[in-house]
Coordinates of all heavy atoms in Angstrom, one line a residue:
L62 N 41.5 -7.0 1.0 CA 40.2 -6.3 0.7 C 39.1 -7.3 0.7 O 39.2 -8.3 0.0 CB 40.3 -5.6 -0.7 CG 39.1 -4.9 -1.2 CD1 38.8 -3.7 -0.3 CD2 39.3 -4.5 -2.6
K63 N 38.1 -7.1 1.5 CA 37.0 -8.0 1.6 C 35.7 -7.4 1.1 O 35.3 -6.3 1.6 CB 36.8 -8.5 3.1 CG 35.9 -9.7 3.3 CD 36.0 -10.1 4.7 CE 34.9 -11.3 4.8 NZ 34.2 -11.2 6.1
I64 N 35.1 -8.0 0.2 CA 33.8 -7.5 -0.3 C 32.7 -8.3 0.2 O 32.7 -9.5 0.0 CB 33.8 -7.5 -1.9 CG1 35.0 -6.6 -2.4 CG2 32.5 -7.0 -2.4 CD1 35.2 -6.7 -3.9
N65 N 31.7 -7.7 0.9 CA 30.6 -8.4 1.3 C 29.5 -8.3 0.3 O 29.0 -7.3 -0.1 CB 30.0 -7.7 2.6 CG 30.9 -8.2 3.8 OD1 31.5 -9.2 3.8 ND2 30.8 -7.4 4.9
L66 N 29.1 -9.5 -0.1 CA 28.0 -9.6 -1.1 C 26.7 -10.1 -0.3 O 26.8 -11.1 0.4 CB 28.3 -10.5 -2.2 CG 29.4 -10.0 -3.2 CD1 29.7 -11.1 -4.2 CD2 28.9 -8.8 -3.9
P67 N 25.6 -9.4 -0.5 CA 24.4 -9.9 0.2 C 24.0 -11.3 -0.4 O 24.2 -11.6 -1.5 CB 23.4 -8.9 -0.2 CG 23.9 -8.2 -1.4 CD 25.4 -8.3 -1.4
T68 N 23.6 -12.1 0.5 CA 23.1 -13.4 0.1 C 21.7 -13.3 -0.5 O 21.0 -12.3 -0.4 CB 23.0 -14.4 1.3 OG1 22.0 -13.9 2.2 CG2 24.3 -14.5 2.0
A69 N 21.3 -14.3 -1.2 CA 20.0 -14.3 -1.9 C 18.9 -14.1 -0.8 O 17.9 -13.4 -1.1 CB 19.8 -15.6 -2.6
D70 N 19.1 -14.7 0.4 CA 18.1 -14.6 1.4 C 17.9 -13.1 1.9 O 16.8 -12.6 2.0 CB 18.4 -15.5 2.6 CG 18.1 -16.9 2.4 OD1 17.4 -17.2 1.4 OD2 18.6 -17.8 3.1
A71 N 19.0 -12.5 2.1 CA 19.0 -11.1 2.5 C 18.3 -10.2 1.4 O 17.5 -9.3 1.7 CB 20.4 -10.6 2.8
E72 N 18.6 -10.5 0.2 CA 18.0 -9.8 -0.9 C 16.5 -9.9 -0.9 O 15.8 -8.9 -1.1 CB 18.5 -10.2 -2.2 CG 19.7 -9.4 -2.7 CD 20.3 -9.9 -4.0 OE1 19.5 -10.4 -4.9 OE2 21.5 -9.9 -4.1
K73 N 16.0 -11.1 -0.7 CA 14.6 -11.4 -0.7 C 13.9 -10.6 0.4 O 12.8 -10.0 0.1 CB 14.3 -12.9 -0.5 CG 14.2 -13.6 -1.8 CD 13.7 -15.0 -1.5 CE 14.3 -16.0 -2.5 NZ 15.1 -17.1 -1.9
Q74 N 14.5 -10.5 1.5 CA 13.8 -9.7 2.6 C 13.7 -8.3 2.3 O 12.8 -7.6 2.6 CB 14.6 -9.9 3.9 CG 14.4 -11.3 4.5 CD 15.4 -11.6 5.7 OE1 16.3 -10.8 5.9 NE2 15.1 -12.7 6.4
V75 N 14.8 -7.7 1.7 CA 14.8 -6.3 1.3 C 13.7 -6.0 0.2 O 13.0 -5.1 0.3 CB 16.2 -5.9 0.8 CG1 16.1 -4.5 0.2 CG2 17.2 -5.9 2.0
E76 N 13.7 -7.0 -0.7 CA 12.8 -6.8 -1.8 C 11.3 -6.9 -1.5 O 10.5 -6.2 -2.0 CB 13.2 -7.9 -2.8 CG 12.8 -7.7 -4.2 CD 13.4 -8.8 -5.1 OE1 12.8 -9.9 -5.1 OE2 14.4 -8.6 -5.7
L77 N 11.0 -7.8 -0.6 CA 9.6 -8.0 -0.3 C 9.3 -7.8 1.2 O 9.0 -8.8 1.9 CB 9.2 -9.4 -0.7 CG 9.2 -9.7 -2.1 CD1 8.9 -11.2 -2.4 CD2 8.1 -8.9 -2.8
P78 N 9.2 -6.5 1.6 CA 8.8 -6.3 3.0 C 7.3 -6.7 3.0 O 6.7 -6.7 2.0 CB 9.0 -4.8 3.2 CG 8.9 -4.2 1.9 CD 9.5 -5.3 1.0
Q79 N 6.8 -7.1 4.2 CA 5.4 -7.4 4.2 C 4.6 -6.2 3.7 O 4.8 -5.1 4.1 CB 5.0 -7.7 5.7 CG 3.7 -8.4 5.8 CD 3.3 -8.7 7.2 OE1 4.1 -8.7 8.1 NE2 2.0 -8.9 7.5
S80 N 3.7 -6.5 2.8 CA 3.0 -5.3 2.2 C 1.5 -5.4 2.4 O 0.9 -6.5 2.7 CB 3.3 -5.3 0.7 OG 2.7 -6.4 0.1
I81 N 0.8 -4.3 2.4 CA -0.6 -4.2 2.4 C -1.0 -3.7 1.0 O -0.6 -2.6 0.6 CB -1.1 -3.2 3.5 CG1 -0.7 -3.8 4.9 CG2 -2.6 -3.0 3.5 CD1 -1.0 -2.8 6.0
Q82 N -1.9 -4.4 0.4 CA -2.4 -4.0 -0.9 C -3.6 -3.2 -0.8 O -4.6 -3.7 -0.2 CB -2.7 -5.3 -1.8 CG -1.6 -6.2 -1.9 CD -0.5 -5.8 -2.9 OE1 -0.8 -5.0 -3.9 NE2 0.7 -6.1 -2.7
V83 N -3.6 -2.0 -1.3 CA -4.8 -1.1 -1.2 C -5.3 -0.9 -2.6 O -4.6 -0.3 -3.4 CB -4.5 0.3 -0.5 CG1 -5.7 1.2 -0.5 CG2 -3.9 0.0 0.9
G84 N -6.4 -1.3 -2.9 CA -7.0 -1.2 -4.2 C -8.0 0.0 -4.2 O -8.7 0.2 -3.3
V85 N -7.9 0.8 -5.3 CA -8.8 1.9 -5.4 C -9.4 1.9 -6.9 O -8.6 1.9 -7.8 CB -8.1 3.3 -5.3 CG1 -9.1 4.4 -5.2 CG2 -7.2 3.3 -4.1
S86 N -10.7 1.7 -6.9 CA -11.3 1.6 -8.3 C -11.8 2.9 -8.8 O -11.9 3.9 -8.0 CB -12.5 0.6 -8.2 OG -13.6 1.2 -7.6
G87 N -12.0 3.0 -10.1 CA -12.4 4.2 -10.7 C -13.7 4.8 -10.1 O -13.9 6.0 -10.1
N88 N -14.6 3.9 -9.6 CA -15.8 4.5 -9.0 C -15.8 4.7 -7.5 O -16.8 4.8 -6.9 CB -17.0 3.5 -9.4 CG -16.9 2.2 -8.8 OD1 -15.8 1.9 -8.2 ND2 -17.8 1.3 -9.0
G89 N -14.5 4.8 -7.0 CA -14.4 5.2 -5.6 C -14.5 4.1 -4.6 O -14.7 4.4 -3.4
Q90 N -14.4 2.8 -5.0 CA -14.4 1.7 -4.1 C -13.0 1.4 -3.6 O -12.1 1.5 -4.4 CB -15.0 0.5 -4.8 CG -16.4 0.6 -5.3 CD -17.4 0.8 -4.2 OE1 -17.5 0.0 -3.3 NE2 -18.2 1.9 -4.3
F91 N -12.9 1.1 -2.4 CA -11.5 0.8 -1.8 C -11.5 -0.6 -1.3 O -12.5 -1.2 -0.9 CB -11.2 1.7 -0.6 CG -11.1 3.2 -1.0 CD1 -12.2 4.0 -1.1 CD2 -9.8 3.7 -1.2 CE1 -12.1 5.3 -1.5 CE2 -9.7 5.0 -1.6 CZ -10.8 5.8 -1.7
A92 N -10.3 -1.2 -1.3 CA -10.1 -2.6 -0.8 C -8.8 -2.7 -0.1 O -7.8 -2.0 -0.6 CB -10.2 -3.6 -1.9
I93 N -8.7 -3.4 1.0 CA -7.5 -3.7 1.7 C -7.2 -5.2 1.6 O -8.0 -6.0 2.1 CB -7.5 -3.2 3.1 CG1 -7.8 -1.7 3.2 CG2 -6.2 -3.6 3.8 CD1 -8.0 -1.2 4.6
N94 N -6.1 -5.5 0.9 CA -5.8 -6.9 0.7 C -6.9 -7.7 0.1 O -7.2 -8.8 0.5 CB -5.3 -7.6 2.0 CG -3.9 -7.0 2.4 OD1 -3.2 -6.6 1.6 ND2 -3.7 -7.1 3.7
G95 N -7.6 -7.0 -0.8 CA -8.7 -7.7 -1.5 C -10.1 -7.7 -0.8 O -11.1 -8.0 -1.4
E96 N -10.1 -7.2 0.4 CA -11.4 -7.1 1.2 C -11.9 -5.7 1.0 O -11.2 -4.7 1.3 CB -11.1 -7.3 2.7 CG -10.7 -8.7 3.0 CD -11.8 -9.8 2.8 OE1 -12.9 -9.5 3.2 OE2 -11.5 -10.8 2.2
P97 N -13.2 -5.6 0.6 CA -13.8 -4.2 0.5 C -13.6 -3.4 1.8 O -13.8 -4.0 2.9 CB -15.3 -4.5 0.2 CG -15.3 -5.9 -0.4 CD -14.2 -6.6 0.3
A98 N -13.3 -2.1 1.6 CA -13.1 -1.3 2.8 C -13.9 0.0 2.6 O -13.8 0.6 1.5 CB -11.6 -1.0 3.0
Q99 N -14.6 0.4 3.6 CA -15.3 1.7 3.6 C -14.8 2.5 4.8 O -14.6 2.0 5.8 CB -16.8 1.5 3.6 CG -17.3 0.8 2.4 CD -18.8 0.7 2.5 OE1 -19.4 0.4 3.5 NE2 -19.5 0.8 1.3
F100 N -14.7 3.8 4.6 CA -14.2 4.7 5.7 C -14.8 6.1 5.5 O -15.1 6.5 4.4 CB -12.7 4.7 5.7 CG -12.0 5.2 4.5 CD1 -11.7 6.6 4.3 CD2 -11.8 4.4 3.4 CE1 -11.1 7.0 3.2 CE2 -11.2 4.9 2.2 CZ -10.9 6.2 2.1
A101 N -14.9 6.8 6.7 CA -15.5 8.1 6.7 C -14.4 9.2 6.6 O -14.7 10.3 6.2 CB -16.2 8.3 8.0
S102 N -13.2 8.8 6.9 CA -12.1 9.8 6.9 C -10.7 9.1 6.8 O -10.7 7.9 7.1 CB -12.1 10.6 8.2 OG -11.8 9.7 9.3
P103 N -9.7 9.8 6.5 CA -8.3 9.2 6.5 C -8.0 8.5 7.8 O -7.4 7.5 7.9 CB -7.4 10.3 6.1 CG -8.2 11.2 5.3 CD -9.6 11.2 5.9
D104 N -8.4 9.2 8.9 CA -8.2 8.6 10.3 C -8.8 7.2 10.4 O -8.2 6.3 10.9 CB -8.7 9.5 11.4 CG -7.9 10.8 11.5 OD1 -6.9 10.9 10.8 OD2 -8.4 11.7 12.3
D105 N -10.0 7.1 9.9 CA -10.8 5.9 10.0 C -10.1 4.8 9.1 O -9.9 3.6 9.5 CB -12.2 6.1 9.4 CG -13.1 4.9 9.6 OD1 -12.8 4.0 10.4 OD2 -14.2 4.9 8.9
F106 N -9.6 5.2 7.9 CA -8.9 4.3 7.0 C -7.6 3.9 7.7 O -7.2 2.7 7.5 CB -8.7 5.0 5.7 CG -8.4 4.0 4.6 CD1 -9.1 2.9 4.4 CD2 -7.4 4.3 3.7 CE1 -8.9 2.0 3.3 CE2 -7.1 3.4 2.6 CZ -7.8 2.3 2.5
A107 N -6.9 4.8 8.4 CA -5.7 4.5 9.1 C -5.8 3.3 10.1 O -5.0 2.4 10.2 CB -5.1 5.7 9.7
V108 N -7.0 3.4 10.8 CA -7.3 2.3 11.7 C -7.4 0.9 11.0 O -6.8 -0.1 11.5 CB -8.6 2.6 12.5 CG1 -9.1 1.4 13.3 CG2 -8.5 3.8 13.4
Q109 N -8.0 0.9 9.9 CA -8.1 -0.3 9.1 C -6.8 -0.8 8.6 O -6.5 -2.0 8.5 CB -9.1 -0.1 8.0 CG -10.5 0.2 8.5 CD -11.6 0.3 7.4 OE1 -11.7 -0.5 6.5 NE2 -12.3 1.4 7.4
L110 N -5.9 0.2 8.2 CA -4.6 -0.2 7.7 C -3.8 -0.8 8.8 O -3.1 -1.8 8.6 CB -3.8 1.1 7.2 CG -4.3 1.6 5.8 CD1 -3.5 2.9 5.5 CD2 -4.1 0.6 4.7
R111 N -3.9 -0.2 10.0 CA -3.2 -0.8 11.2 C -3.7 -2.2 11.5 O -2.9 -3.1 11.8 CB -3.4 0.1 12.4 CG -2.5 1.4 12.4 CD -2.4 2.0 13.8 NE -2.1 3.4 13.7 CZ -3.0 4.4 13.8 NH1 -4.2 4.1 14.0 NH2 -2.5 5.6 13.7
R112 N -5.0 -2.4 11.4 CA -5.5 -3.7 11.6 C -5.0 -4.7 10.6 O -4.6 -5.8 10.9 CB -7.1 -3.6 11.5 CG -7.8 -4.8 12.2 CD -9.3 -4.7 12.2 NE -9.8 -3.5 12.8 CZ -10.7 -2.7 12.3 NH1 -11.3 -3.0 11.1 NH2 -11.1 -1.6 12.9
A113 N -4.9 -4.3 9.3 CA -4.4 -5.2 8.3 C -2.9 -5.5 8.5 O -2.5 -6.6 8.2 CB -4.6 -4.5 6.9
A114 N -2.2 -4.5 9.1 CA -0.7 -4.7 9.3 C -0.5 -5.7 10.4 O 0.6 -6.3 10.4 CB -0.1 -3.4 9.6
G115 N -1.4 -5.8 11.4 CA -1.2 -6.7 12.5 C 0.1 -6.3 13.3 O 0.2 -5.2 13.7
S116 N 1.0 -7.3 13.4 CA 2.2 -7.0 14.2 C 3.3 -6.4 13.4 O 4.4 -6.1 13.9 CB 2.7 -8.4 14.8 OG 3.0 -9.2 13.7
N117 N 3.1 -6.1 12.1 CA 4.1 -5.5 11.3 C 4.1 -4.0 11.5 O 3.1 -3.3 11.2 CB 3.8 -5.8 9.8 CG 4.9 -5.3 8.9 OD1 5.8 -4.6 9.3 ND2 4.9 -5.7 7.7
A118 N 5.2 -3.5 12.1 CA 5.2 -2.1 12.5 C 5.4 -1.1 11.3 O 5.0 0.0 11.3 CB 6.4 -1.9 13.5
D119 N 6.0 -1.6 10.2 CA 6.3 -0.7 9.1 C 6.1 -1.4 7.7 O 7.0 -1.7 7.0 CB 7.7 -0.2 9.2 CG 8.0 1.0 8.3 OD1 7.0 1.6 7.8 OD2 9.1 1.3 8.0
P120 N 4.8 -1.7 7.4 CA 4.6 -2.5 6.2 C 4.7 -1.5 5.0 O 4.7 -0.3 5.1 CB 3.1 -2.9 6.3 CG 2.5 -1.8 7.2 CD 3.6 -1.4 8.1
M121 N 4.9 -2.1 3.8 CA 4.9 -1.4 2.6 C 3.5 -1.3 2.1 O 2.8 -2.3 2.1 CB 5.7 -2.2 1.5 CG 5.6 -1.6 0.1 SD 6.5 0.0 -0.1 CE 8.2 -0.6 -0.1
I122 N 3.0 -0.1 1.9 CA 1.6 0.1 1.4 C 1.7 0.2 -0.1 O 2.4 1.1 -0.7 CB 1.0 1.5 1.9 CG1 1.1 1.5 3.5 CG2 -0.4 1.6 1.5 CD1 0.4 0.5 4.2
V123 N 1.0 -0.8 -0.8 CA 1.0 -0.8 -2.2 C -0.3 -0.3 -2.7 O -1.3 -0.9 -2.5 CB 1.3 -2.3 -2.8 CG1 1.3 -2.3 -4.3 CG2 2.6 -2.8 -2.2
I124 N -0.3 0.8 -3.4 CA -1.5 1.4 -3.9 C -1.8 1.0 -5.3 O -0.9 1.2 -6.2 CB -1.5 3.0 -3.8 CG1 -1.3 3.4 -2.4 CG2 -2.8 3.6 -4.4 CD1 -1.1 4.9 -2.2
N125 N -2.9 0.3 -5.5 CA -3.2 -0.2 -6.8 C -4.4 0.5 -7.3 O -5.6 0.2 -7.0 CB -3.5 -1.7 -6.6 CG -3.3 -2.5 -7.8 OD1 -3.6 -2.0 -8.9 ND2 -2.9 -3.7 -7.7
A126 N -4.2 1.6 -8.0 CA -5.3 2.5 -8.4 C -5.6 2.3 -9.9 O -4.8 2.2 -10.7 CB -4.9 4.0 -8.2
D127 N -6.9 2.2 -10.1 CA -7.5 2.1 -11.5 C -7.1 3.4 -12.2 O -7.0 4.5 -11.6 CB -9.0 2.0 -11.3 CG -9.7 1.7 -12.6 OD1 -9.8 2.7 -13.4 OD2 -10.0 0.5 -12.9
A128 N -7.0 3.3 -13.5 CA -6.7 4.5 -14.3 C -7.7 5.6 -14.2 O -7.4 6.8 -14.3 CB -6.5 4.1 -15.8
Q129 N -9.0 5.2 -13.9 CA -10.1 6.2 -13.7 C -10.2 6.8 -12.3 O -11.0 7.6 -12.1 CB -11.4 5.6 -14.1 CG -11.7 5.5 -15.6 CD -10.9 4.4 -16.3 OE1 -10.9 3.3 -15.8 NE2 -10.2 4.7 -17.4
T130 N -9.3 6.3 -11.4 CA -9.4 6.8 -10.0 C -9.2 8.3 -9.9 O -8.2 8.8 -10.5 CB -8.4 6.0 -9.1 OG1 -8.7 4.6 -9.2 CG2 -8.5 6.4 -7.7
S131 N -9.9 9.0 -9.1 CA -9.7 10.4 -8.9 C -8.4 10.6 -8.1 O -8.1 9.8 -7.2 CB -10.9 11.1 -8.2 OG -10.8 10.8 -6.8
H132 N -7.7 11.7 -8.3 CA -6.5 12.0 -7.6 C -6.8 12.1 -6.1 O -6.0 11.7 -5.3 CB -6.1 13.4 -8.1 CG -4.8 13.9 -7.5 ND1 -3.6 13.3 -7.7 CD2 -4.5 14.9 -6.7 CE1 -2.6 13.9 -7.1 NE2 -3.2 14.9 -6.4
Q133 N -8.0 12.6 -5.7 CA -8.3 12.8 -4.3 C -8.4 11.5 -3.6 O -8.0 11.3 -2.5 CB -9.7 13.5 -4.2 CG -10.0 13.9 -2.8 CD -9.0 14.7 -2.1 OE1 -8.5 15.7 -2.6 NE2 -8.5 14.3 -0.9
N134 N -8.9 10.4 -4.3 CA -9.0 9.1 -3.6 C -7.6 8.6 -3.3 O -7.4 8.0 -2.3 CB -9.7 8.1 -4.5 CG -11.2 8.3 -4.4 OD1 -11.7 8.9 -3.5 ND2 -11.9 7.8 -5.4
V135 N -6.6 8.8 -4.2 CA -5.3 8.3 -4.0 C -4.6 9.2 -2.9 O -4.0 8.6 -2.0 CB -4.4 8.5 -5.3 CG1 -3.0 8.2 -5.0 CG2 -5.0 7.5 -6.4
V136 N -4.9 10.5 -2.8 CA -4.4 11.3 -1.8 C -5.0 10.8 -0.4 O -4.2 10.8 0.6 CB -4.8 12.8 -2.0 CG1 -4.5 13.7 -0.8 CG2 -4.0 13.3 -3.2
N137 N -6.2 10.4 -0.4 CA -6.8 9.9 0.9 C -6.1 8.7 1.4 O -5.8 8.6 2.6 CB -8.3 9.6 0.6 CG -9.2 10.8 0.5 OD1 -8.8 11.9 0.8 ND2 -10.4 10.6 0.0
V138 N -5.7 7.8 0.5 CA -5.0 6.6 0.9 C -3.6 7.0 1.4 O -3.2 6.5 2.5 CB -4.8 5.6 -0.3 CG1 -3.9 4.5 0.1 CG2 -6.2 5.1 -0.7
M139 N -2.9 7.9 0.7 CA -1.6 8.4 1.2 C -1.7 9.0 2.6 O -0.8 8.8 3.4 CB -1.0 9.3 0.1 CG -0.7 8.6 -1.2 SD -0.3 9.7 -2.5 CE 1.3 10.2 -2.1
E140 N -2.7 9.8 2.8 CA -2.9 10.5 4.0 C -3.2 9.5 5.1 O -2.7 9.6 6.2 CB -4.1 11.5 3.9 CG -4.5 12.3 5.2 CD -3.4 13.2 5.7 OE1 -2.4 13.4 5.0 OE2 -3.6 13.7 6.9
A141 N -4.0 8.5 4.8 CA -4.3 7.5 5.8 C -3.0 6.7 6.2 O -2.8 6.4 7.4 CB -5.3 6.5 5.3
A142 N -2.2 6.4 5.2 CA -0.9 5.7 5.5 C 0.0 6.6 6.4 O 0.6 6.1 7.4 CB -0.2 5.4 4.2
R143 N 0.0 7.9 6.2 CA 0.7 8.9 7.0 C 0.2 8.9 8.4 O 1.0 8.8 9.4 CB 0.7 10.3 6.4 CG 1.6 11.3 7.0 CD 1.4 12.7 6.6 NE 0.1 13.2 6.9 CZ -0.2 13.6 8.2 NH1 0.7 13.5 9.2 NH2 -1.4 14.1 8.4
V144 N -1.1 9.0 8.6 CA -1.7 9.0 9.9 C -1.4 7.7 10.6 O -1.2 7.7 11.8 CB -3.3 9.2 9.8 CG1 -4.0 8.9 11.1 CG2 -3.6 10.6 9.2
A145 N -1.4 6.6 9.9 CA -1.1 5.3 10.5 C 0.4 5.1 10.9 O 0.8 4.2 11.7 CB -1.5 4.1 9.6
G146 N 1.2 6.1 10.4 CA 2.6 6.0 10.7 C 3.4 5.2 9.7 O 4.6 4.8 10.0
Y147 N 2.9 4.9 8.6 CA 3.6 4.1 7.6 C 4.2 5.0 6.5 O 3.5 5.7 5.8 CB 2.6 3.1 6.9 CG 1.9 2.2 7.9 CD1 0.6 1.7 7.7 CD2 2.6 1.8 9.1 CE1 0.0 0.9 8.6 CE2 2.0 1.0 10.0 CZ 0.7 0.5 9.8 OH 0.1 -0.3 10.7
G148 N 5.5 5.0 6.4 CA 6.2 5.8 5.5 C 6.6 5.2 4.2 O 7.1 5.9 3.3
K149 N 6.3 3.9 4.0 CA 6.7 3.2 2.8 C 5.5 3.1 1.9 O 4.6 2.3 2.2 CB 7.4 1.9 3.1 CG 8.7 2.0 3.8 CD 9.5 0.7 3.8 CE 8.9 -0.3 4.7 NZ 9.8 -0.9 5.6
L150 N 5.5 3.8 0.8 CA 4.4 3.7 -0.1 C 4.9 3.4 -1.5 O 6.0 4.0 -1.9 CB 3.7 5.1 -0.2 CG 2.7 5.5 0.9 CD1 2.3 6.9 0.7 CD2 1.5 4.6 0.9
T151 N 4.2 2.6 -2.2 CA 4.6 2.4 -3.6 C 3.3 2.2 -4.4 O 2.2 2.1 -3.9 CB 5.5 1.2 -3.8 OG1 6.0 1.1 -5.1 CG2 4.8 -0.1 -3.4
F152 N 3.4 2.4 -5.7 CA 2.3 2.2 -6.6 C 2.5 1.0 -7.4 O 3.6 0.8 -8.0 CB 2.1 3.4 -7.5 CG 1.6 4.6 -6.8 CD1 2.5 5.5 -6.2 CD2 0.2 4.9 -6.7 CE1 2.0 6.6 -5.5 CE2 -0.3 6.0 -6.0 CZ 0.6 6.8 -5.4
A153 N 1.5 0.1 -7.5 CA 1.5 -1.1 -8.3 C 1.4 -0.6 -9.8 O 0.6 0.4 -10.0 CB 0.4 -2.0 -8.0
T154 N 2.2 -1.1 -10.6 CA 2.1 -0.7 -12.0 C 0.9 -1.3 -12.7 O 0.5 -2.4 -12.5 CB 3.3 -1.1 -12.8 OG1 3.5 -2.5 -12.6 CG2 4.6 -0.3 -12.4
Q155 N 0.1 -0.4 -13.4 CA -1.1 -0.9 -14.0 C -0.9 -1.2 -15.5 O -0.3 -0.4 -16.2 CB -2.1 0.3 -14.0 CG -2.7 0.5 -12.6 CD -3.7 -0.6 -12.3 OE1 -4.3 -1.2 -13.2 NE2 -3.9 -0.9 -11.0
T156 N -1.3 -2.4 -15.8 CA -1.3 -2.7 -17.2 C -2.7 -2.8 -17.6 O -3.5 -3.7 -17.2 CB -0.6 -4.1 -17.5 OG1 -1.2 -5.0 -16.6 CG2 0.9 -4.0 -17.2
S157 N -3.2 -1.8 -18.4 CA -4.6 -1.8 -18.7 C -4.9 -2.6 -20.0 O -4.2 -2.3 -21.0 CB -5.1 -0.4 -18.8 OG -4.3 0.3 -19.8
G158 N -5.8 -3.5 -19.9 CA -6.1 -4.3 -21.1 C -6.9 -3.5 -22.1 O -7.6 -2.5 -21.7
Q159 N -6.9 -3.8 -23.3 CA -7.7 -3.1 -24.3 C -9.2 -3.4 -24.0 O -9.6 -4.5 -23.8 CB -7.4 -3.5 -25.7 CG -5.9 -3.4 -26.1 CD -5.5 -1.9 -25.9 OE1 -4.9 -1.6 -24.9 NE2 -5.8 -1.1 -26.9
K160 N -10.0 -2.4 -24.1 CA -11.5 -2.6 -23.9 C -12.2 -2.6 -25.2 O -11.9 -1.8 -26.1 CB -12.0 -1.4 -23.1 CG -11.4 -1.5 -21.7 CD -12.5 -1.1 -20.6 CE -12.0 -1.6 -19.2 NZ -11.7 -0.5 -18.3

């Protein structure tokens, strides 16, 4: 009986696929990998996501939404990712500091 255990290297690759960080602030501002992004439609945003992905065909889209962000803004990002053909979406966990 032979048990294959993944090596540490293989685990790292699975754990951290190349990701695109999409920030959404409470006042409706968007950022891609820290760069401010403006778009007229999810299609337009999808073009920007593809540009950010470069040669990566299937990046992980990490949505980093402020607690005050409207549901619609998050839906727009998800729709843009779908239009761009990216099926891997995750949400960054928010730790909100006391104000």
